[in-house]
């Protein structure tokens, strides 16, 4: 039997390529994330998402109220990428918090400036609540009092968001530049400062530019954790 393609029947309406994938909230969010990764948050608009999906902006509103809701849903989708340990380990709570914070920072950095959506937002989606629930449970099991544990979550979230956003800014600033040469020029500038006016800065030029972004982020988190540890009451010795 021949398998050659048949011609279209003349009076049948010609099909325009493959049938379009049915529009859904999930598809809209995935498209928004794809635009975010390519162009940053400024490239995400309802019109652009609609264009990517081959439809008009009005058709999106049956699934997403507006751009603000779309961005919230994108943040929730991205938060689902953050890996968490199988269970809290109170005996090594500081190590676990640091591991989770690093993972979250790396996920947010990989998605351009999504941290701008996270800054100032209250985590209410299932993926964000999963992240918050794990950390809060870990801190409480480690002996951190409830109020300090709650405030610590706020501080951790801010550190993650701000560090991830700063990393995005640096990536844009470094476009077409050699990062090592850039920071070497900063080092040279600090060394060249008049020692009579800036003795400390010129004398610490090498120290000030030492350490990459991850090392500096780890230092910030470890500093927070050391302070948080002082709130844990130690059992009295017998």
């Amino acid at each position: 039997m021949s398998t050659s393609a048949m011609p279209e029947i003349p009076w049948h309406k010609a099909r325009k390529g493959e049938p379009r994938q049915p529009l859904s909230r999930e598809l809209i969010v995935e498209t928004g994330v794809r635009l975010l990764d390519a162009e940053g948050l400024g490239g995400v608009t309802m019109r652009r998402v609609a264009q990517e999906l081959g439809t008009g902006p009005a058709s999106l509103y049956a699934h997403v109220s507006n751009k603000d809701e779309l961005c919230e849903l994108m943040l929730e989708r991205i938060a689902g990428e953050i890996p968490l340990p199988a269970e809290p380990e109170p005996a090594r709570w500081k190590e676990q918090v640091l591991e989770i914070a690093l993972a979250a920072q790396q996920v947010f950095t990989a998605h351009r400036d999504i941290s701008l959506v996270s800054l100032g937002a209250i985590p209410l989606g299932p993926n964000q609540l999963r992240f918050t629930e794990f950390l809060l449970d870990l801190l409480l099991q480690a002996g951190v009092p409830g109020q300090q544990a709650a405030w610590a979550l706020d501080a951790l979230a801010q550190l993650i968001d701000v560090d991830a956003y700063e990393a995005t800014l640096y990536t844009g600033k470094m476009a077409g530049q050699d990062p090592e040469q850039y920071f070497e020029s900063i080092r040279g500038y600090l060394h060249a400062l008049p020692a009579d006016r800036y003795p400390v800065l010129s004398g610490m030029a090498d120290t000030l530019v030492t350490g990459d972004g991850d090392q500096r982020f780890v230092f910030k988190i470890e500093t927070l954790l050391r302070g948080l540890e002082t709130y844990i009451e130690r059992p009295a010795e017998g």
Side-chain angles (χ1 to χ4, degrees), residues 78-91:
I78 289 168
E81 296 179 18
I82 302 171
L84 292 175
E87 59 184 18
E89 299 178 36

Side-chain angles (χ1 to χ4, degrees), residues 23 28-29 31-32 35 41-71 73-74:
L23 203 60
I28 292 169
V29 172
T31 304
L35 283 171
L41 206 56
V44 180
T45 66
M46 298 294 276
R47 182 175 298 277
R48 281 296 311 282
V49 172
Q51 288 175 348
E52 290 292 314
L53 292 171
T55 186
S59 63
L60 303 186
Y61 292 107
H63 306 274
V64 179
S65 299
N66 48 41
K67 179 182 174 179
D68 287 343
E69 183 182 353
L70 173 59
C71 289
L73 292 169
M74 288 162 53

Side-chain angles (χ1 to χ4, degrees), residues 18-44:
E18 294 298 319
R20 185 185 303 165
Q21 186 174 352
L23 203 60
S24 66
R25 174 179 284 192
E26 290 73 20
L27 182 59
I28 292 169
V29 172
E30 287 299 329
T31 304
V33 171
R34 189 169 68 251
L35 283 171
L36 167 75
D37 293 347
E39 304 178 23
L41 206 56
V44 180

Side-chain angles (χ1 to χ4, degrees), residues 89-112:
E89 299 178 36
R92 53 185 301 273
W93 68 278
K94 288 188 292 185
E95 291 86 347
Q96 276 199 320
V97 170
L98 180 57
E99 291 165 4
I100 294 168
L102 268 171
Q105 188 261 11
Q106 290 166 1
V107 167
F108 279 15
T109 301
H111 289 287
R112 299 283 288 260

